[in-house]
Amino acid sequence: MDSGATTHRQDADRHCGSPESATESSPDVKPPWEKVLWKPQPYPDNYIPPDFLSSLRRNTNVKQYKYLPLVLSTCAVTQHLAVIFIFVGTFILLNRDHVDPTQLVWTCIAAFPIGNIGWEVMEWRDIAAVTKKER
């Protein structure tokens, strides 16, 4: 059904003297290929122009990354996921009565000062390292 409409349109263009009729009348001369989809062209759908490879640019927007900053950047995401899994696991253990709630509370109370002291020691080492570099 569509090919009949195209043929009718081409016939009408030939009789009206449209600019396309000049290119359609000579079968050997094709109009230059254009990179548009809305315009009917005498080229197949999978046509590749000869200068296609010369117009390609390879990796124009590639940004090189260092490995260590990438690993450190993922620490926030992995830490968040670890906290979620610890919370879910603790909830399941409490729900099934595998862990006594008072034991969990005392474990958290004991772990807080140990973790806080560890954090302060690491901060102190970082500050000491920065001051040595400045000297």
Side-chain angles (χ1 to χ4, degrees):
M1 192 184 273
D2 193 28
S3 62
T6 305
T7 307
H8 178 64
R9 185 178 141 226
Q10 290 173 349
D11 289 341
D13 286 344
R14 284 189 189 123
H15 292 298
C16 294
S18 69
E20 294 177 357
S21 64
T23 59
E24 290 178 2
S25 62
S26 59
D28 295 339
V29 178
K30 289 185 179 179
W33 179 80
E34 296 179 44
K35 194 176 183 179
V36 293
L37 295 175
W38 55 269
K39 188 176 182 182
Q41 299 185 52
Y43 295 97
D45 289 341
N46 60 351
Y47 176 75
I48 299 173
D51 61 344
F52 176 75
L53 291 177
S54 64
S55 65
L56 288 181
R57 293 177 296 179
R58 183 175 179 201
N59 298 335
T60 56
N61 298 325
V62 172
K63 184 177 178 185
Q64 296 293 327
Y65 292 100
K66 302 285 182 190
Y67 182 71
L68 184 61
L70 285 178
V71 171
L72 295 176
S73 300
T74 61
C75 286
V77 176
T78 55
Q79 181 181 10
H80 188 70
L81 290 173
V83 167
I84 290 172
F85 283 115
I86 289 170
F87 177 79
V88 170
T90 306
F91 176 78
I92 290 171
L93 290 175
L94 284 171
N95 194 21
R96 294 181 180 170
D97 291 329
H98 292 298
V99 175
D100 184 34
T102 56
Q103 179 188 3
L104 181 64
V105 169
W106 284 112
T107 304
C108 289
I109 290 172
F112 176 75
I114 295 170
N116 196 9
I117 291 170
W119 177 264
E120 291 298 328
V121 168
M122 288 190 296
E123 285 290 316
W124 180 74
R125 284 184 183 172
D126 287 343
I127 291 171
V130 169
T131 55
K132 282 184 181 178
K133 286 183 181 179
E134 290 177 356
R135 290 181 186 178

